[in-house]
Amino acid sequence: MRFSTTLALIGMGIAASAAAEVPSARQDQLRDIVAQDCGSCHGMTRKGGLGSPLLPEVLAAYTAEGVTETILEGRPGTPMPPWKTMLSRDEASWIARYLMGEVK
C-alpha cells in the first residue's frame, strides 16, 4: 500500500472516530438544530428554500470534510452563516455525516 493511501485511510478513521464521539444526547440536540435552524433556510424537508437542498443525493457530490467546513465557516456572500462559534468540529462533522445519510 502506498504511503499516501495509508495516510488517507488513517485520516478517515480519525474523522470517523471523532464524529462517533458525539454523545447520544448531543446527537439529539444536533438533529433538532438541523430540523429547526438548517430547516429555516434549506427547507423543513431539506429540499431547498433560501438555501440549497441538503439531501444525501445532492451532498454526494461533496466530501464530508467539505460539508463540515461549510458548516463551520459558512459561505461568504450568501446567507449561510458560520457555525464555528456554536458547534465543535466533531459536532459539525457529525451533522455533515447525518445530512449525507452516513449516520442516523
Side-chain angles (χ1 to χ4, degrees):
M1 188 179 313
R2 292 178 28 191
F3 181 70
S4 61
T5 304
T6 303
L7 285 178
L9 291 172
I10 290 169
M12 286 188 289
I14 291 169
S17 67
E21 291 177 13
V22 175
S24 179
R26 183 60 175 155
Q27 290 177 20
D28 291 339
Q29 293 171 341
L30 295 175
R31 284 184 195 91
D32 288 342
I33 288 171
V34 169
Q36 298 301 314
D37 295 294
C38 302
S40 67
C41 288
H42 295 278
M44 298 307 286
T45 59
R46 294 183 269 175
K47 292 182 181 176
L50 176 62
S52 59
L54 295 178
L55 301 172
E57 57 270 19
V58 174
L59 296 175
Y62 304 95
T63 65
E65 183 58 31
V67 175
T68 299
E69 287 302 314
T70 297
I71 293 166
L72 291 173
E73 299 299 329
R75 289 215 164 165
T78 75
M80 175 64 189
W83 285 80
K84 63 185 170 190
T85 61
M86 294 166 270
L87 297 172
S88 70
R89 176 164 293 281
D90 288 348
E91 292 167 340
S93 176
W94 187 91
I95 289 173
R97 294 175 61 236
Y98 174 70
L99 292 171
M100 297 174 93
E102 295 176 15
V103 295
K104 300 290 177 202

